[in-house]
Amino acid sequence: MKARHCSGLLFLFVLFQPFYSNGWGVGHRIITEAALEVQPVELQKRWRALHRNEFLGKEETISWYVSNHFSKHPDYVDGPSRNEEDLEERVRAAGFLYAEKNGTFLPPITYAGPDRLEWEGPRPKTYHYFTFQTEEVNREFAHKGSKWYFEKISAAFREGNDVIAAEYFGSFAHAIQDRVSPYHVWDGYTPQREAFESTLSDHGLQRKEKSFREKPQSSSLFWFVGGKGMSAELKGYSPKILGDTAEEASREFVDRLFASRQFAEEIYTRRDGFVAAHLEDEWEAKGSSEKTDRYLSQVAEENARLTADVLYTAFLLATP
């Protein structure tokens, strides 16, 4: 059984790897680092404490782990595995994600872990992609999940469990940042994406060989941007509190999250800006020029402010 399971995982990795590598990539690290740099001195001091994760086998600061590992938790839970060496870490990471089924909280099930073998039917939906068909449902999902994260992070801070707070925050931050990636900005807005791609069909955006899994009805590879050269500069920015309670913060957060997504869509559909720049890239291979990265940086910086505000708010909620 174990050998067959491992073989199946390898097959799934080959089959689905493009889907799980089309987001920000290093962008999660870039955005998260920017958000951490503007936090209160007290929080920065606390997160300079060293931590060792057994899976990585590295002793680094909590801040390093937030940017380089904890912010990858949703991909660990929802993504395929090359082998069985990381399955234990994937299952462990699942404990820091919000998930629900039929609108009710339900602990997440990993896509590749052994817990998946014991689960029947569709997995609970993790707080990762906002792919419901209506904005109303996506907003409610964003609200319930964000309230859960605010409560979990602030509770961990109050109890002095900084690493636990960091893992919850990293998982939350990933979803915030994916919402504005060139690919996931269209989650829940498929008709709008297809309509926009149709206006650029002369450039190959809906050709079979230039579409995800070579299916024209799928997303164009135009949105699979690497963005290794983008940046997020928040120097001088003072984080803002989103609310005095988890409920208040969650309501404000949802408005900010959808505004962030709207801002990103406006950048990505500007024909004399991002579109013109990226059409000159080798976009079929996730190419991203310096000019394209400047537009990505605008989105990253705007989203980093929201990421910073979320952490700042959760930290203050832990203070009586």
Side-chain angles (χ1 to χ4, degrees), residues 97-101 104-109 124-127 141 148:
L97 267 68
Y98 176 85
E100 65 178 45
K101 192 168 186 179
T104 302
F105 172 79
L106 202 61
I109 302 296
K125 182 173 178 57
T126 55
Y127 200 83
F141 181 50
W148 184 86

Side-chain angles (χ1 to χ4, degrees), residues 192-202 205-206 271:
Q192 292 91 324
R193 174 185 57 75
E194 292 180 343
F196 184 77
E197 288 181 7
S198 295
T199 66
L200 296 171
S201 59
D202 289 347
L205 264 68
Q206 294 187 325
R271 295 177 185 275

Side-chain angles (χ1 to χ4, degrees), residues 2-129:
K2 186 175 182 179
R4 289 200 301 272
H5 180 49
C6 185
S7 176
L9 290 174
L10 289 171
F11 169 75
L12 290 172
F13 177 84
V14 173
L15 181 62
F16 291 103
Q17 177 61 14
F19 181 78
Y20 290 101
S21 61
N22 57 27
W24 280 115
V26 297
H28 287 297
R29 176 183 58 77
I30 293 170
I31 296 174
T32 303
E33 285 180 345
L36 295 181
E37 289 175 357
V38 296
Q39 294 304 312
V41 173
E42 180 186 351
L43 175 54
Q44 293 194 42
K45 181 180 179 180
R46 286 171 61 165
W47 277 11
R48 281 199 292 269
L50 295 176
H51 171 66
R52 180 181 178 83
N53 172 273
E54 293 306 317
F55 171 67
L56 294 185
K58 293 170 66 71
E59 186 173 69
E60 298 286 352
T61 64
I62 297 174
S63 290
W64 183 93
Y65 268 102
V66 172
S67 300
N68 293 274
H69 187 57
F70 299 158
S71 62
K72 298 177 181 178
H73 279 357
D75 281 343
Y76 262 56
V77 173
D78 287 338
S81 174
R82 288 182 182 273
N83 50 52
E84 293 189 327
E85 294 178 0
D86 60 1
L87 296 188
E88 184 177 349
E89 179 67 2
R90 288 174 182 271
V91 173
R92 192 192 71 80
F96 296 95
L97 267 68
Y98 176 85
E100 65 178 45
K101 192 168 186 179
N102 299 325
T104 302
F105 172 79
L106 202 61
I109 302 296
T110 61
Y111 176 83
D115 53 334
R116 183 69 175 91
L117 299 177
E118 302 170 1
W119 182 264
E120 296 182 1
R123 296 182 303 132
K125 182 173 178 57
T126 55
Y127 200 83
H128 193 179
Y129 306 129

Side-chain angles (χ1 to χ4, degrees), residues 168-207:
Y168 279 119
F169 170 69
S171 301
F172 191 10
H174 183 106
I176 297 170
Q177 295 154 12
D178 263 357
R179 197 70 185 106
V180 298
S181 77
Y183 179 88
H184 290 298
V185 75
W186 298 109
D187 287 350
Y189 299 90
T190 298
Q192 292 91 324
R193 174 185 57 75
E194 292 180 343
F196 184 77
E197 288 181 7
S198 295
T199 66
L200 296 171
S201 59
D202 289 347
H203 296 278
L205 264 68
Q206 294 187 325
R207 292 179 191 168

Side-chain angles (χ1 to χ4, degrees), residues 206-320:
Q206 294 187 325
R207 292 179 191 168
K208 176 182 177 181
E209 69 276 11
K210 296 187 178 184
S211 300
F212 179 49
R213 294 183 188 163
E214 296 191 344
K215 294 181 179 180
Q217 66 270 30
S218 297
S219 178
S220 170
L221 298 180
F222 185 77
W223 309 111
F224 289 52
V225 190
K228 292 182 178 180
M230 75 179 189
S231 62
E233 177 56 62
L234 295 189
K235 185 177 182 179
Y237 179 72
S238 297
K240 300 174 176 57
I241 187 168
L242 300 175
D244 294 328
T245 66
E247 174 65 24
E248 289 181 7
S250 176
R251 293 295 182 185
E252 176 64 18
F253 164 77
V254 172
D255 289 340
R256 289 277 304 278
L257 178 68
F258 279 76
S260 187
R261 193 215 72 85
Q262 181 62 37
F263 174 79
E265 181 187 336
E266 291 172 357
I267 294 293
Y268 298 145
T269 55
R270 193 169 297 164
R271 295 177 185 275
D272 60 350
F274 175 84
V275 174
H278 195 36
L279 284 174
E280 296 180 359
D281 299 333
E282 293 182 0
W283 53 266
E284 305 92 331
K286 296 180 67 175
S288 181
S289 63
E290 182 178 342
K291 188 174 182 180
T292 297
D293 287 340
R294 286 201 294 270
Y295 293 108
L296 293 174
S297 296
Q298 293 179 31
V299 174
E301 183 174 313
E302 191 278 337
N303 191 258
R305 288 194 286 271
L306 175 56
T307 303
D309 292 350
V310 163
L311 178 56
Y312 179 69
T313 297
F315 186 62
L316 291 189
L317 288 177
T319 304

